[in-house]
């Protein structure tokens, strides 16, 4: 394939990944509940 | 003076803030389509893989420290800027199938096309009316579309 003479150099960004749509029956991401902070209490 | 100037220009090129183009280029090229649905280069002994393909120089030794495409070599993935010339003439004849490819990374722009570091096939299209055996070509195109996750825009 003849593409002619070289003209210039380019730096081209890579394709960005498209976020896929969520599947209806997919289980939601389980995020562990944070423990409540211990509050020092008076006896 | 010119040597110093070239050295400084090359050094400063590394510190440019971002890429010249924010999205991959689109180019036109053709592949040799096998019975197994694999896309091969019609010039070199190279079979395309699904997803991004990284170019490597087939002439230089593996230890040679440069990445394809080199300015003074002919390595890299080739694609045309416009569908013209042989791209039209090679339309689906002898299992040579035209298509669109995405190019990114280090890209050398030429007058009529590009040489790229990274390439990924996107679309296969062709005029199946020009084929000797359109059904068989169509079958191979469908196989390739399943392997490479391609869109097919074939005229039947």
């Amino acid at each position: 394939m003849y593409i002619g003479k070289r003209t210039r150099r380019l730096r081209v960004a890579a394709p960005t990944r498209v976020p896929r749509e969520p599947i209806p029956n997919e289980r939601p991401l389980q995020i562990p509940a944070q423990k409540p902070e211990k509050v020092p209490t008076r006896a | 003076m010119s040597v110093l100037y070239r050295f400084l220009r090359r050094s400063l090129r590394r510190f440019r803030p971002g890429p010249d183009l924010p999205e991959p280029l689109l180019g036109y090229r053709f592949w040799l389509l096998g019975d197994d649905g694999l896309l091969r280069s019609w010039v070199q002994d190279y079979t395309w893989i699904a997803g991004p393909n990284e170019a490597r120089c087939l002439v230089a030794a593996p230890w040679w420290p440069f990445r394809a495409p080199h300015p003074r070599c002919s390595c890299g993935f080739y694609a045309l800027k416009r569908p013209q010339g042989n791209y039209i003439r090679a339309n689906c004849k002898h299992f040579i199938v035209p298509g669109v490819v995405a190019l990114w990374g280090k890209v050398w722009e030429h007058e009529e096309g590009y040489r790229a570091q990274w390439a990924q096939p996107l679309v296969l299209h062709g005029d199946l009316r020009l084929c000797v055996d359109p059904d068989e070509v169509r079958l191979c195109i469908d196989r390739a579309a399943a392997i490479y996750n391609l869109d097919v825009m074939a005229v039947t």
Side-chain angles (χ1 to χ4, degrees):
Chain A
M1 192 186 309
Y2 180 69
I3 54 175
K5 287 182 181 174
R6 191 179 78 230
T7 53
R8 61 173 173 158
R9 181 191 154 154
L10 297 168
R11 289 194 306 166
V12 184
T16 51
R17 293 188 183 278
V18 179
R20 66 178 177 86
E21 294 179 5
I23 301 167
N25 293 332
E26 195 178 30
R27 287 178 59 193
L29 190 67
Q30 298 287 332
I31 300 170
Q34 287 184 339
K35 289 180 180 177
E37 290 183 11
K38 283 185 178 178
V39 181
T41 53
R42 281 187 184 175
Chain B
M1 180 63 191
S2 62
V3 176
L4 179 66
Y5 173 72
R6 258 184 258 163
F7 174 76
L8 288 172
R9 201 176 60 176
R10 280 183 196 170
S11 305
L12 288 171
R13 198 181 288 162
R14 294 178 194 166
F15 299 107
R16 273 190 288 177
D20 301 321
L21 294 173
E23 289 183 358
L25 288 160
L26 293 180
Y28 298 87
R29 61 164 292 136
F30 30 77
W31 290 277
L32 196 61
L33 182 63
D35 293 341
D36 44 9
L38 293 175
L39 301 174
R40 293 183 177 87
S41 168
W42 60 284
V43 179
Q44 302 288 349
D45 182 19
Y46 178 76
T47 304
W48 286 62
I49 58 169
N53 291 251
E54 187 176 13
R56 61 185 172 86
C57 186
L58 300 172
V59 179
W63 47 265
W64 197 252
F66 76 80
R67 282 186 184 172
H70 191 267
R72 282 184 285 282
C73 188
S74 58
C75 51
F77 289 115
Y78 280 56
L80 291 166
K81 290 180 183 175
R82 285 171 288 278
Q84 60 187 12
N86 281 341
Y87 186 81
I88 302 295
R89 283 180 222 124
N91 201 339
C92 277
K93 289 174 187 169
H94 308 294
F95 288 88
I96 290 178
V97 180
V100 179
V101 68
L103 310 165
W104 69 91
K106 189 169 103 178
V107 177
W108 276 101
E109 185 182 7
H110 288 240
E111 288 171 339
E112 297 176 16
Y114 305 105
R115 279 193 297 136
Q117 182 189 4
W118 289 92
Q120 182 175 352
L122 296 178
V123 178
L124 284 182
H125 65 89
D127 195 344
L128 293 173
R129 293 172 297 181
L130 300 172
C131 299
V132 179
D133 192 354
D135 296 334
E136 197 176 345
V137 174
R138 177 79 212 192
L139 197 66
C140 294
I141 285 178
D142 290 341
R143 278 182 201 148
I147 293 169
Y148 294 93
N149 194 17
L150 299 172
D151 292 325
V152 178
M153 299 170 68
V155 181
T156 50

